Every structure is written in C-alpha cells, then in structure tokens.
Amino acid sequence: MVVEDPVRALVVDYGGVLTTPIGPSFATWMAEDGIDPATYGEMLRDWLGRDAPPDSPVHRLERGELDVAEFNRLLAARLTTVDGREIVPEGLLDRAFATVHADADMLDLLRAARAAGLRTALLSNSWGNSYPMDVLAPLFDELVISGEVGMRKPEARIYHLTADRLGLPPRHCLFLDDAQPNVDGALLAGMQALLHKDSAVTIPAVAGLVPALADELREGAS
C-alpha cells in the first residue's frame, strides 16, 4: 500500500479486531444448536453478501432498524438443524457470540496509539452487541456504532461521519477491519486501510506506517 499522507488517527472495527475471531464462536454455537451449515451459508449469502438487498434482516439490524429479539426470531426461522430439533430464538445471538473475548494485544495497540498522539475511533457494525464500555471508552476519542447512527459499513457516509467526528480528513485516518468489503469501503471513502487477520501481523504493519507509534511500542516492550 502506498501511503502519501501521515496517519493521524487509528480507526478500528470491534468484533474480530479488538476481539478473538468471530468464526470459531459461531462454529461452536452451530455445533451446539445443531445448525445445518448449508442453511447458515445460504443465510449469509442472502442477508449479508454483496448482492444482499438493503432491507435484509442483517442490514436492518446493523442500522438499528430491527431489534435483537425480532432478528433472533427471523434467524431461527431461516435456519434448520441437522437433527430436526427446534432452534430456540431467545438468546440466539448471545449463544453465537458466547466465546468471543477481548484481544489484549490489540487493546495495547490502541493505548500505544493514544500515547503516540494519534486520535482513535471505534467504527463497528453492531449486531445488538453489548460493548464493554468500561474497557473501550478510555481508549477512544469517538465511538461510532452502526445501530446508533443509522448507517453501516461499507457505506461511504459512515466513514465520512467518523472522520468528521475526529476532526480530520479521511486520508489521515487508518482503518482496520477483518472484513474485506469494509476495508474496500474505507478505501473508497478516502481512508487508508488494512485488512486485519491477527495481532501478530497487524501491529507491525500499523507501526510501519506510523513512526511515532513504532517508537511507543518499542518503549512499551523495553
């Protein structure tokens, strides 16, 4: 990636970036609930894929137009089980996210970014998540949650809103996300962006773009 502008803000996704990967938690939930993986894959394609309509249940949930209880009912009705058992809608998303935990190294990256003088923002598509604000609030200058602002990634306007709240042009913001469409959306909106896979790769990549942050990380490791 060619970087022409200095990075003055770090903007990060929540699930899968500041936490352990989402996929294994969903796999555990599907195994425990006996979900047929084929129907889950079809749901993802139809509700969240590139050709999903703007009024799909996932898009509506992320924009705050659909509450969690109703989404759980729609999702339970859409999926089937391998053994014919009933899918209990109550608490469905809680079960799906049950084994997701914070990534301490990525939280440390944010602390180092703030110590290095970068502004920071959370930019998250919410699935009705309960965010640990006691941990997150001290790490961010701005919190942009899709369901609270009525827009979602990868819509250009949510990236522009985030940059505006940070008081910076998008080109001075570096965005991290574990979903390629959201990274692509950030780039189209004028931000710099990296696809997150794990902290061991992401942290050095970010430090390589921000010399002050690299210095801070070295001092923290010494």
Side-chain angles (χ1 to χ4, degrees), residues 183-219:
V183 170
D184 294 342
L187 292 170
L188 288 172
M191 288 185 175
Q192 301 172 46
L194 293 172
L195 179 66
H196 173 79
K197 294 189 180 297
D198 59 61
S199 59
V201 174
T202 294
I203 292 174
V206 174
L209 300 176
V210 190
L213 175 55
D215 293 341
E216 192 66 35
L217 289 168
R218 278 193 295 268
E219 289 181 11

Short mmCIF file of all heavy atoms in Angstrom, two decimals, residues 183-219:
data_model
loop_
_atom_site.label_atom_id
_atom_site.label_comp_id
_atom_site.label_asym_id
_atom_site.label_seq_id
_atom_site.Cartn_x
_atom_site.Cartn_y
_atom_site.Cartn_z
N VAL A 183 -13.04 -2.94 4.45
CA VAL A 183 -11.76 -2.33 4.10
C VAL A 183 -11.87 -1.62 2.76
O VAL A 183 -11.43 -0.47 2.59
CB VAL A 183 -10.64 -3.40 4.06
CG1 VAL A 183 -9.36 -2.83 3.46
CG2 VAL A 183 -10.38 -3.93 5.46
N ASP A 184 -12.50 -2.29 1.78
CA ASP A 184 -12.69 -1.67 0.47
C ASP A 184 -13.53 -0.40 0.58
O ASP A 184 -13.25 0.60 -0.08
CB ASP A 184 -13.36 -2.66 -0.48
CG ASP A 184 -12.49 -3.87 -0.80
OD1 ASP A 184 -11.27 -3.79 -0.59
OD2 ASP A 184 -13.04 -4.89 -1.26
N GLY A 185 -14.57 -0.45 1.43
CA GLY A 185 -15.41 0.74 1.61
C GLY A 185 -14.63 1.90 2.18
O GLY A 185 -14.83 3.06 1.78
N ALA A 186 -13.74 1.61 3.12
CA ALA A 186 -12.91 2.67 3.71
C ALA A 186 -12.00 3.29 2.66
O ALA A 186 -11.83 4.52 2.61
CB ALA A 186 -12.10 2.12 4.88
N LEU A 187 -11.39 2.45 1.84
CA LEU A 187 -10.51 2.96 0.79
C LEU A 187 -11.28 3.84 -0.19
O LEU A 187 -10.81 4.92 -0.58
CB LEU A 187 -9.85 1.80 0.06
CG LEU A 187 -8.84 0.98 0.87
CD1 LEU A 187 -8.45 -0.29 0.12
CD2 LEU A 187 -7.61 1.81 1.21
N LEU A 188 -12.48 3.41 -0.56
CA LEU A 188 -13.30 4.20 -1.48
C LEU A 188 -13.72 5.53 -0.85
O LEU A 188 -13.90 6.53 -1.56
CB LEU A 188 -14.54 3.41 -1.90
CG LEU A 188 -14.30 2.24 -2.86
CD1 LEU A 188 -15.57 1.42 -3.03
CD2 LEU A 188 -13.81 2.76 -4.21
N ALA A 189 -13.85 5.54 0.48
CA ALA A 189 -14.23 6.77 1.18
C ALA A 189 -13.02 7.68 1.42
O ALA A 189 -13.19 8.77 1.97
CB ALA A 189 -14.89 6.43 2.51
N GLY A 190 -11.83 7.24 1.02
CA GLY A 190 -10.65 8.09 1.12
C GLY A 190 -9.74 7.80 2.29
O GLY A 190 -8.73 8.49 2.47
N MET A 191 -10.08 6.80 3.11
CA MET A 191 -9.21 6.44 4.22
C MET A 191 -8.08 5.52 3.75
O MET A 191 -8.17 4.90 2.69
CB MET A 191 -10.00 5.71 5.31
CG MET A 191 -10.93 6.57 6.12
SD MET A 191 -11.69 5.61 7.48
CE MET A 191 -12.60 6.92 8.33
N GLN A 192 -7.03 5.44 4.54
CA GLN A 192 -6.08 4.36 4.42
C GLN A 192 -6.67 3.17 5.18
O GLN A 192 -7.43 3.35 6.13
CB GLN A 192 -4.74 4.77 5.01
CG GLN A 192 -4.13 6.01 4.33
CD GLN A 192 -2.91 6.52 5.05
OE1 GLN A 192 -2.03 5.75 5.41
NE2 GLN A 192 -2.84 7.83 5.25
N ALA A 193 -6.34 1.95 4.79
CA ALA A 193 -6.98 0.80 5.42
C ALA A 193 -6.12 -0.44 5.31
O ALA A 193 -5.38 -0.61 4.33
CB ALA A 193 -8.35 0.55 4.79
N LEU A 194 -6.25 -1.30 6.32
CA LEU A 194 -5.57 -2.59 6.34
C LEU A 194 -6.57 -3.66 6.72
O LEU A 194 -7.42 -3.45 7.59
CB LEU A 194 -4.43 -2.59 7.36
CG LEU A 194 -3.22 -1.69 7.10
CD1 LEU A 194 -2.30 -1.69 8.31
CD2 LEU A 194 -2.47 -2.14 5.86
N LEU A 195 -6.44 -4.83 6.10
CA LEU A 195 -7.25 -5.99 6.47
C LEU A 195 -6.60 -6.68 7.66
O LEU A 195 -5.44 -7.09 7.59
CB LEU A 195 -7.38 -6.95 5.30
CG LEU A 195 -8.19 -8.22 5.55
CD1 LEU A 195 -9.66 -7.88 5.81
CD2 LEU A 195 -8.06 -9.19 4.37
N HIS A 196 -7.34 -6.81 8.75
CA HIS A 196 -6.81 -7.45 9.96
C HIS A 196 -7.01 -8.95 9.88
O HIS A 196 -8.11 -9.43 9.59
CB HIS A 196 -7.55 -6.90 11.19
CG HIS A 196 -7.20 -7.61 12.46
ND1 HIS A 196 -6.05 -7.35 13.16
CD2 HIS A 196 -7.85 -8.57 13.17
CE1 HIS A 196 -6.01 -8.10 14.25
NE2 HIS A 196 -7.09 -8.86 14.27
N LYS A 197 -5.94 -9.69 10.17
CA LYS A 197 -6.02 -11.15 10.28
C LYS A 197 -5.70 -11.58 11.70
O LYS A 197 -6.42 -12.37 12.28
CB LYS A 197 -5.10 -11.82 9.27
CG LYS A 197 -5.54 -11.58 7.82
CD LYS A 197 -4.74 -12.42 6.85
CE LYS A 197 -5.19 -12.17 5.40
NZ LYS A 197 -6.59 -12.57 5.19
N ASP A 198 -4.61 -11.08 12.25
CA ASP A 198 -4.31 -11.32 13.65
C ASP A 198 -3.34 -10.24 14.13
O ASP A 198 -2.72 -9.55 13.32
CB ASP A 198 -3.73 -12.73 13.88
CG ASP A 198 -2.46 -12.99 13.10
OD1 ASP A 198 -1.46 -12.26 13.32
OD2 ASP A 198 -2.44 -13.90 12.27
N SER A 199 -3.21 -10.13 15.45
CA SER A 199 -2.42 -9.04 16.01
C SER A 199 -0.95 -9.14 15.64
O SER A 199 -0.27 -8.12 15.48
CB SER A 199 -2.58 -9.01 17.53
OG SER A 199 -2.18 -10.25 18.11
N ALA A 200 -0.45 -10.37 15.48
CA ALA A 200 0.96 -10.55 15.15
C ALA A 200 1.32 -9.95 13.80
O ALA A 200 2.48 -9.57 13.57
CB ALA A 200 1.32 -12.04 15.18
N VAL A 201 0.36 -9.86 12.90
CA VAL A 201 0.58 -9.25 11.59
C VAL A 201 0.18 -7.78 11.59
O VAL A 201 0.89 -6.92 11.06
CB VAL A 201 -0.22 -10.02 10.50
CG1 VAL A 201 -0.12 -9.31 9.16
CG2 VAL A 201 0.28 -11.45 10.39
N THR A 202 -0.96 -7.48 12.20
CA THR A 202 -1.49 -6.12 12.14
C THR A 202 -0.63 -5.11 12.89
O THR A 202 -0.36 -4.01 12.37
CB THR A 202 -2.92 -6.09 12.71
OG1 THR A 202 -3.78 -6.84 11.85
CG2 THR A 202 -3.45 -4.66 12.79
N ILE A 203 -0.19 -5.44 14.08
CA ILE A 203 0.54 -4.46 14.89
C ILE A 203 1.83 -4.00 14.20
O ILE A 203 2.07 -2.79 14.08
CB ILE A 203 0.79 -5.01 16.30
CG1 ILE A 203 -0.56 -5.12 17.04
CG2 ILE A 203 1.75 -4.10 17.07
CD1 ILE A 203 -0.47 -5.78 18.40
N PRO A 204 2.67 -4.89 13.70
CA PRO A 204 3.85 -4.42 12.97
C PRO A 204 3.49 -3.62 11.71
O PRO A 204 4.19 -2.67 11.36
CB PRO A 204 4.60 -5.70 12.60
CG PRO A 204 4.11 -6.72 13.57
CD PRO A 204 2.69 -6.36 13.85
N ALA A 205 2.41 -4.01 11.03
CA ALA A 205 2.01 -3.29 9.83
C ALA A 205 1.60 -1.87 10.15
O ALA A 205 1.99 -0.92 9.44
CB ALA A 205 0.86 -4.02 9.14
N VAL A 206 0.84 -1.69 11.24
CA VAL A 206 0.44 -0.34 11.64
C VAL A 206 1.66 0.45 12.09
O VAL A 206 1.85 1.62 11.72
CB VAL A 206 -0.61 -0.40 12.76
CG1 VAL A 206 -0.91 1.00 13.29
CG2 VAL A 206 -1.89 -1.06 12.26
N ALA A 207 2.53 -0.17 12.88
CA ALA A 207 3.74 0.52 13.36
C ALA A 207 4.62 0.96 12.20
O ALA A 207 5.27 2.01 12.27
CB ALA A 207 4.51 -0.40 14.30
N GLY A 208 4.64 0.18 11.13
CA GLY A 208 5.43 0.54 9.97
C GLY A 208 4.93 1.78 9.25
O GLY A 208 5.68 2.43 8.52
N LEU A 209 3.66 2.12 9.47
CA LEU A 209 3.08 3.30 8.83
C LEU A 209 3.12 4.54 9.72
O LEU A 209 2.91 5.65 9.23
CB LEU A 209 1.62 3.01 8.45
CG LEU A 209 1.38 1.85 7.47
CD1 LEU A 209 -0.11 1.62 7.28
CD2 LEU A 209 2.05 2.12 6.15
N VAL A 210 3.37 4.33 11.01
CA VAL A 210 3.30 5.44 11.97
C VAL A 210 4.57 5.41 12.83
O VAL A 210 4.62 4.70 13.84
CB VAL A 210 2.06 5.34 12.86
CG1 VAL A 210 1.89 6.62 13.68
CG2 VAL A 210 0.81 5.05 12.05
N PRO A 211 5.60 6.16 12.45
CA PRO A 211 6.87 6.11 13.20
C PRO A 211 6.72 6.40 14.68
O PRO A 211 7.35 5.73 15.51
CB PRO A 211 7.72 7.18 12.50
CG PRO A 211 7.17 7.24 11.11
CD PRO A 211 5.71 7.02 11.25
N ALA A 212 5.90 7.37 15.06
CA ALA A 212 5.73 7.68 16.48
C ALA A 212 5.15 6.51 17.24
O ALA A 212 5.49 6.27 18.41
CB ALA A 212 4.86 8.93 16.64
N LEU A 213 4.24 5.79 16.60
CA LEU A 213 3.65 4.62 17.24
C LEU A 213 4.68 3.50 17.38
O LEU A 213 4.73 2.82 18.40
CB LEU A 213 2.45 4.13 16.43
CG LEU A 213 1.78 2.84 16.90
CD1 LEU A 213 1.35 2.94 18.36
CD2 LEU A 213 0.58 2.52 16.01
N ALA A 214 5.52 3.33 16.37
CA ALA A 214 6.58 2.33 16.45
C ALA A 214 7.49 2.62 17.64
O ALA A 214 7.88 1.70 18.37
CB ALA A 214 7.37 2.30 15.15
N ASP A 215 7.83 3.89 17.83
CA ASP A 215 8.67 4.28 18.97
C ASP A 215 7.98 3.95 20.28
O ASP A 215 8.60 3.45 21.22
CB ASP A 215 8.99 5.77 18.90
CG ASP A 215 9.88 6.14 17.71
OD1 ASP A 215 10.52 5.22 17.16
OD2 ASP A 215 9.90 7.32 17.35
N GLU A 216 6.69 4.23 20.35
CA GLU A 216 5.93 3.98 21.59
C GLU A 216 5.87 2.49 21.88
O GLU A 216 6.00 2.06 23.05
CB GLU A 216 4.51 4.54 21.44
CG GLU A 216 3.74 4.59 22.72
CD GLU A 216 4.30 5.55 23.75
OE1 GLU A 216 4.83 6.61 23.35
OE2 GLU A 216 4.24 5.21 24.95
N LEU A 217 5.67 1.68 20.86
CA LEU A 217 5.61 0.23 21.05
C LEU A 217 6.96 -0.32 21.51
O LEU A 217 7.02 -1.21 22.35
CB LEU A 217 5.16 -0.45 19.76
CG LEU A 217 3.70 -0.25 19.37
CD1 LEU A 217 3.45 -0.72 17.94
CD2 LEU A 217 2.77 -0.97 20.35
N ARG A 218 8.04 0.22 20.97
CA ARG A 218 9.36 -0.23 21.38
C ARG A 218 9.62 0.12 22.85
O ARG A 218 10.15 -0.69 23.61
CB ARG A 218 10.44 0.40 20.49
CG ARG A 218 10.65 -0.33 19.17
CD ARG A 218 11.91 0.11 18.48
NE ARG A 218 11.85 1.52 18.10
CZ ARG A 218 11.41 1.93 16.91
NH1 ARG A 218 10.98 1.05 16.02
NH2 ARG A 218 11.38 3.22 16.62
N GLU A 219 9.20 1.33 23.26
CA GLU A 219 9.39 1.74 24.63
C GLU A 219 8.55 0.86 25.57
O GLU A 219 9.00 0.49 26.65
CB GLU A 219 8.99 3.20 24.82
CG GLU A 219 9.96 4.17 24.17
CD GLU A 219 9.54 5.62 24.39
OE1 GLU A 219 8.64 5.85 25.22
OE2 GLU A 219 10.13 6.50 23.72
#
